[in-house]
Short mmCIF file of all heavy atoms in Angstrom, two decimals:
data_model
loop_
_atom_site.label_atom_id
_atom_site.label_comp_id
_atom_site.label_asym_id
_atom_site.label_seq_id
_atom_site.Cartn_x
_atom_site.Cartn_y
_atom_site.Cartn_z
N VAL A 1460 -4.95 -4.56 4.37
CA VAL A 1460 -4.35 -3.65 5.34
C VAL A 1460 -3.61 -2.58 4.54
O VAL A 1460 -2.70 -2.88 3.79
CB VAL A 1460 -3.39 -4.41 6.29
CG1 VAL A 1460 -2.80 -3.46 7.31
CG2 VAL A 1460 -4.13 -5.54 6.97
N ILE A 1461 -4.03 -1.35 4.71
CA ILE A 1461 -3.54 -0.25 3.88
C ILE A 1461 -2.83 0.78 4.75
O ILE A 1461 -3.25 1.06 5.86
CB ILE A 1461 -4.73 0.44 3.17
CG1 ILE A 1461 -5.61 -0.57 2.45
CG2 ILE A 1461 -4.26 1.54 2.25
CD1 ILE A 1461 -4.96 -1.32 1.35
N GLY A 1462 -1.79 1.39 4.21
CA GLY A 1462 -1.13 2.49 4.91
C GLY A 1462 0.31 2.18 5.26
O GLY A 1462 1.00 1.48 4.54
N ARG A 1463 0.73 2.67 6.39
CA ARG A 1463 2.13 2.55 6.81
C ARG A 1463 2.39 1.27 7.60
O ARG A 1463 3.23 1.24 8.48
CB ARG A 1463 2.51 3.76 7.64
CG ARG A 1463 2.44 5.04 6.85
CD ARG A 1463 2.81 6.20 7.71
NE ARG A 1463 2.51 7.42 7.00
CZ ARG A 1463 2.41 8.58 7.56
NH1 ARG A 1463 2.58 8.71 8.85
NH2 ARG A 1463 2.13 9.65 6.84
N CYS A 1464 1.71 0.23 7.28
CA CYS A 1464 1.83 -1.04 8.00
C CYS A 1464 2.79 -1.95 7.25
O CYS A 1464 2.41 -3.00 6.76
CB CYS A 1464 0.46 -1.68 8.16
SG CYS A 1464 -0.50 -1.59 6.65
N VAL A 1465 4.04 -1.51 7.13
CA VAL A 1465 5.05 -2.27 6.39
C VAL A 1465 6.28 -2.45 7.26
O VAL A 1465 6.48 -1.73 8.25
CB VAL A 1465 5.46 -1.56 5.08
CG1 VAL A 1465 4.29 -1.41 4.14
CG2 VAL A 1465 6.09 -0.22 5.36
N SER A 1466 7.08 -3.39 6.88
CA SER A 1466 8.37 -3.59 7.53
C SER A 1466 9.45 -3.19 6.54
O SER A 1466 9.46 -3.66 5.40
CB SER A 1466 8.52 -5.06 7.92
OG SER A 1466 9.80 -5.28 8.46
N ALA A 1467 10.33 -2.31 6.95
CA ALA A 1467 11.39 -1.84 6.06
C ALA A 1467 12.59 -1.41 6.89
O ALA A 1467 12.48 -1.15 8.09
CB ALA A 1467 10.89 -0.67 5.22
N VAL A 1468 13.74 -1.34 6.25
CA VAL A 1468 14.96 -0.89 6.92
C VAL A 1468 15.63 0.18 6.07
O VAL A 1468 15.39 0.31 4.87
CB VAL A 1468 15.94 -2.06 7.16
CG1 VAL A 1468 15.36 -3.05 8.15
CG2 VAL A 1468 16.34 -2.74 5.89
N ASP A 1469 16.48 0.94 6.72
CA ASP A 1469 17.31 1.95 6.07
C ASP A 1469 16.50 2.88 5.17
O ASP A 1469 15.51 3.45 5.58
CB ASP A 1469 18.46 1.29 5.31
CG ASP A 1469 19.35 0.46 6.23
OD1 ASP A 1469 19.53 0.87 7.39
OD2 ASP A 1469 19.82 -0.60 5.81
N TYR A 1470 16.93 2.99 3.90
CA TYR A 1470 16.29 3.93 2.98
C TYR A 1470 14.83 3.58 2.74
O TYR A 1470 13.99 4.45 2.59
CB TYR A 1470 17.06 3.96 1.66
CG TYR A 1470 16.53 4.97 0.68
CD1 TYR A 1470 16.65 6.34 0.94
CD2 TYR A 1470 15.90 4.57 -0.49
CE1 TYR A 1470 16.16 7.27 0.05
CE2 TYR A 1470 15.40 5.50 -1.38
CZ TYR A 1470 15.54 6.85 -1.11
OH TYR A 1470 15.04 7.77 -1.99
N GLY A 1471 14.53 2.28 2.71
CA GLY A 1471 13.14 1.86 2.52
C GLY A 1471 12.24 2.43 3.59
O GLY A 1471 11.11 2.84 3.32
N TRP A 1472 12.70 2.46 4.83
CA TRP A 1472 11.90 3.02 5.92
C TRP A 1472 11.73 4.53 5.74
O TRP A 1472 10.66 5.07 5.95
CB TRP A 1472 12.55 2.74 7.27
CG TRP A 1472 11.89 3.47 8.39
CD1 TRP A 1472 12.41 4.47 9.14
CD2 TRP A 1472 10.54 3.31 8.85
NE1 TRP A 1472 11.49 4.92 10.05
CE2 TRP A 1472 10.32 4.23 9.89
CE3 TRP A 1472 9.49 2.47 8.50
CZ2 TRP A 1472 9.11 4.34 10.56
CZ3 TRP A 1472 8.29 2.58 9.17
CH2 TRP A 1472 8.12 3.50 10.19
N GLN A 1473 12.78 5.21 5.33
CA GLN A 1473 12.70 6.66 5.13
C GLN A 1473 11.64 7.01 4.09
O GLN A 1473 10.94 8.00 4.24
CB GLN A 1473 14.06 7.21 4.71
CG GLN A 1473 15.11 7.12 5.80
CD GLN A 1473 16.48 7.54 5.30
OE1 GLN A 1473 16.65 8.00 4.18
NE2 GLN A 1473 17.49 7.36 6.14
N ILE A 1474 11.53 6.22 3.06
CA ILE A 1474 10.56 6.49 2.00
C ILE A 1474 9.14 6.15 2.45
O ILE A 1474 8.21 6.91 2.24
CB ILE A 1474 10.92 5.70 0.72
CG1 ILE A 1474 12.23 6.21 0.14
CG2 ILE A 1474 9.81 5.76 -0.32
CD1 ILE A 1474 12.24 7.67 -0.28
N THR A 1475 8.95 4.98 3.06
CA THR A 1475 7.59 4.53 3.38
C THR A 1475 6.93 5.35 4.47
O THR A 1475 5.71 5.32 4.61
CB THR A 1475 7.57 3.04 3.79
OG1 THR A 1475 8.43 2.87 4.93
CG2 THR A 1475 8.02 2.16 2.66
N ARG A 1476 7.70 6.08 5.26
CA ARG A 1476 7.07 6.85 6.34
C ARG A 1476 6.48 8.18 5.85
O ARG A 1476 5.81 8.88 6.59
CB ARG A 1476 8.06 7.10 7.47
CG ARG A 1476 9.18 8.03 7.12
CD ARG A 1476 10.18 8.17 8.27
NE ARG A 1476 11.17 9.15 7.95
CZ ARG A 1476 11.04 10.46 8.15
NH1 ARG A 1476 9.95 10.93 8.68
NH2 ARG A 1476 12.00 11.28 7.83
N LEU A 1477 6.71 8.51 4.58
CA LEU A 1477 6.18 9.75 4.02
C LEU A 1477 4.74 9.56 3.55
O LEU A 1477 4.28 8.46 3.28
CB LEU A 1477 7.07 10.21 2.86
CG LEU A 1477 8.53 10.46 3.23
CD1 LEU A 1477 9.34 10.78 1.97
CD2 LEU A 1477 8.66 11.58 4.24
N ILE A 1478 4.02 10.68 3.43
CA ILE A 1478 2.60 10.61 3.08
C ILE A 1478 2.34 10.09 1.66
O ILE A 1478 1.47 9.24 1.49
CB ILE A 1478 1.93 11.99 3.30
CG1 ILE A 1478 1.89 12.27 4.80
CG2 ILE A 1478 0.53 12.02 2.71
CD1 ILE A 1478 1.44 13.67 5.16
N PRO A 1479 3.04 10.54 0.61
CA PRO A 1479 2.71 10.04 -0.73
C PRO A 1479 2.79 8.52 -0.88
O PRO A 1479 1.86 7.91 -1.42
CB PRO A 1479 3.70 10.77 -1.65
CG PRO A 1479 3.97 12.05 -0.93
CD PRO A 1479 4.00 11.65 0.54
N PRO A 1480 3.86 7.86 -0.40
CA PRO A 1480 3.86 6.40 -0.51
C PRO A 1480 2.74 5.75 0.30
O PRO A 1480 2.16 4.74 -0.13
CB PRO A 1480 5.23 5.99 0.03
CG PRO A 1480 6.08 7.18 -0.18
CD PRO A 1480 5.17 8.35 0.05
N ALA A 1481 2.40 6.31 1.44
CA ALA A 1481 1.30 5.77 2.23
C ALA A 1481 -0.02 5.94 1.48
O ALA A 1481 -0.86 5.03 1.47
CB ALA A 1481 1.23 6.46 3.59
N ALA A 1482 -0.20 7.06 0.83
CA ALA A 1482 -1.42 7.29 0.05
C ALA A 1482 -1.47 6.34 -1.14
O ALA A 1482 -2.55 5.84 -1.50
CB ALA A 1482 -1.48 8.74 -0.44
N LEU A 1483 -0.33 6.06 -1.73
CA LEU A 1483 -0.27 5.14 -2.86
C LEU A 1483 -0.75 3.75 -2.45
O LEU A 1483 -1.44 3.07 -3.21
CB LEU A 1483 1.14 5.06 -3.42
CG LEU A 1483 1.35 4.13 -4.61
CD1 LEU A 1483 0.49 4.55 -5.80
CD2 LEU A 1483 2.81 4.08 -4.99
N THR A 1484 -0.43 3.32 -1.23
CA THR A 1484 -0.91 2.01 -0.79
C THR A 1484 -2.44 2.00 -0.74
O THR A 1484 -3.05 0.96 -1.00
CB THR A 1484 -0.34 1.60 0.58
OG1 THR A 1484 -0.80 2.49 1.60
CG2 THR A 1484 1.18 1.55 0.56
N GLY A 1485 -3.04 3.13 -0.41
CA GLY A 1485 -4.50 3.22 -0.41
C GLY A 1485 -5.06 3.09 -1.81
O GLY A 1485 -6.07 2.40 -2.03
N GLN A 1486 -4.41 3.73 -2.77
CA GLN A 1486 -4.86 3.63 -4.16
C GLN A 1486 -4.76 2.18 -4.66
O GLN A 1486 -5.69 1.66 -5.27
CB GLN A 1486 -4.02 4.53 -5.06
CG GLN A 1486 -4.34 6.01 -4.92
CD GLN A 1486 -3.48 6.82 -5.85
OE1 GLN A 1486 -2.28 6.93 -5.68
NE2 GLN A 1486 -4.12 7.38 -6.87
N ILE A 1487 -3.64 1.56 -4.39
CA ILE A 1487 -3.43 0.18 -4.83
C ILE A 1487 -4.41 -0.76 -4.13
O ILE A 1487 -4.96 -1.67 -4.74
CB ILE A 1487 -1.98 -0.27 -4.60
CG1 ILE A 1487 -1.00 0.63 -5.37
CG2 ILE A 1487 -1.80 -1.74 -4.96
CD1 ILE A 1487 -1.18 0.63 -6.87
N GLY A 1488 -4.65 -0.52 -2.84
CA GLY A 1488 -5.63 -1.33 -2.12
C GLY A 1488 -7.02 -1.20 -2.70
O GLY A 1488 -7.75 -2.18 -2.82
N GLY A 1489 -7.39 0.01 -3.09
CA GLY A 1489 -8.69 0.23 -3.72
C GLY A 1489 -8.80 -0.47 -5.05
O GLY A 1489 -9.83 -1.07 -5.38
N ILE A 1490 -7.73 -0.42 -5.82
CA ILE A 1490 -7.70 -1.12 -7.10
C ILE A 1490 -7.84 -2.62 -6.88
O ILE A 1490 -8.61 -3.30 -7.57
CB ILE A 1490 -6.42 -0.77 -7.89
CG1 ILE A 1490 -6.48 0.68 -8.38
CG2 ILE A 1490 -6.19 -1.74 -9.04
CD1 ILE A 1490 -5.18 1.22 -8.93
N ALA A 1491 -7.10 -3.15 -5.91
CA ALA A 1491 -7.17 -4.58 -5.62
C ALA A 1491 -8.57 -4.98 -5.15
O ALA A 1491 -9.10 -6.01 -5.57
CB ALA A 1491 -6.13 -4.95 -4.57
N ALA A 1492 -9.17 -4.16 -4.31
CA ALA A 1492 -10.52 -4.46 -3.83
C ALA A 1492 -11.50 -4.48 -4.99
O ALA A 1492 -12.35 -5.38 -5.10
CB ALA A 1492 -10.96 -3.42 -2.79
N ASN A 1493 -11.38 -3.51 -5.89
CA ASN A 1493 -12.26 -3.45 -7.05
C ASN A 1493 -12.08 -4.67 -7.96
O ASN A 1493 -13.06 -5.26 -8.41
CB ASN A 1493 -12.01 -2.16 -7.83
CG ASN A 1493 -12.99 -1.98 -8.97
OD1 ASN A 1493 -14.19 -2.12 -8.79
ND2 ASN A 1493 -12.48 -1.66 -10.14
N LEU A 1494 -10.84 -5.05 -8.21
CA LEU A 1494 -10.59 -6.22 -9.05
C LEU A 1494 -11.15 -7.49 -8.40
O LEU A 1494 -11.69 -8.35 -9.09
CB LEU A 1494 -9.09 -6.39 -9.31
CG LEU A 1494 -8.44 -5.38 -10.24
CD1 LEU A 1494 -6.93 -5.59 -10.28
CD2 LEU A 1494 -9.03 -5.47 -11.63
N ALA A 1495 -11.02 -7.59 -7.09
CA ALA A 1495 -11.54 -8.75 -6.39
C ALA A 1495 -13.07 -8.82 -6.50
O ALA A 1495 -13.64 -9.88 -6.75
CB ALA A 1495 -11.12 -8.73 -4.92
N ILE A 1496 -13.72 -7.68 -6.35
CA ILE A 1496 -15.18 -7.64 -6.48
C ILE A 1496 -15.60 -8.00 -7.90
O ILE A 1496 -16.50 -8.82 -8.09
CB ILE A 1496 -15.72 -6.25 -6.07
CG1 ILE A 1496 -15.55 -6.04 -4.57
CG2 ILE A 1496 -17.18 -6.09 -6.49
CD1 ILE A 1496 -15.77 -4.61 -4.12
N GLN A 1497 -14.94 -7.40 -8.87
CA GLN A 1497 -15.28 -7.69 -10.27
C GLN A 1497 -15.07 -9.16 -10.61
O GLN A 1497 -15.84 -9.75 -11.37
CB GLN A 1497 -14.45 -6.82 -11.22
CG GLN A 1497 -14.85 -5.37 -11.23
CD GLN A 1497 -13.97 -4.54 -12.15
OE1 GLN A 1497 -12.97 -5.01 -12.69
NE2 GLN A 1497 -14.36 -3.28 -12.35
N GLY A 1498 -14.00 -9.73 -10.06
CA GLY A 1498 -13.68 -11.13 -10.35
C GLY A 1498 -14.36 -12.12 -9.42
O GLY A 1498 -14.11 -13.32 -9.51
N LYS A 1499 -15.18 -11.59 -8.51
CA LYS A 1499 -15.88 -12.44 -7.54
C LYS A 1499 -14.92 -13.39 -6.82
O LYS A 1499 -15.13 -14.60 -6.74
CB LYS A 1499 -17.00 -13.21 -8.21
CG LYS A 1499 -18.09 -12.30 -8.72
CD LYS A 1499 -19.24 -13.08 -9.30
CE LYS A 1499 -20.33 -12.13 -9.59
NZ LYS A 1499 -20.92 -11.89 -10.73
N THR A 1500 -13.84 -12.79 -6.31
CA THR A 1500 -12.82 -13.55 -5.60
C THR A 1500 -12.36 -12.75 -4.40
O THR A 1500 -12.87 -11.66 -4.14
CB THR A 1500 -11.64 -13.88 -6.55
OG1 THR A 1500 -10.75 -14.78 -5.90
CG2 THR A 1500 -10.90 -12.63 -7.00
N SER A 1501 -11.39 -13.24 -3.69
CA SER A 1501 -10.83 -12.49 -2.56
C SER A 1501 -9.51 -11.87 -3.00
O SER A 1501 -8.84 -12.38 -3.91
CB SER A 1501 -10.64 -13.39 -1.35
OG SER A 1501 -9.76 -14.44 -1.66
N PRO A 1502 -9.09 -10.78 -2.37
CA PRO A 1502 -7.88 -10.08 -2.79
C PRO A 1502 -6.64 -10.98 -2.79
O PRO A 1502 -5.76 -10.81 -3.63
CB PRO A 1502 -7.75 -8.95 -1.78
CG PRO A 1502 -9.13 -8.70 -1.30
CD PRO A 1502 -9.79 -10.05 -1.31
N ASP A 1503 -6.56 -11.92 -1.86
CA ASP A 1503 -5.37 -12.77 -1.80
C ASP A 1503 -5.27 -13.74 -2.98
O ASP A 1503 -4.23 -14.33 -3.21
CB ASP A 1503 -5.32 -13.53 -0.48
CG ASP A 1503 -6.48 -14.50 -0.31
OD1 ASP A 1503 -7.62 -14.13 -0.62
OD2 ASP A 1503 -6.24 -15.64 0.14
#
């Protein structure tokens, strides 16, 4: 699950609602998906 699907409060919420941190979750998700495929495992 990628994007702004997080739980946060106060300053954490202010940061996560912006586009760059949301885009970063996409990058990290892609990296995790790639590692899972390469390792023939599931992301979890």
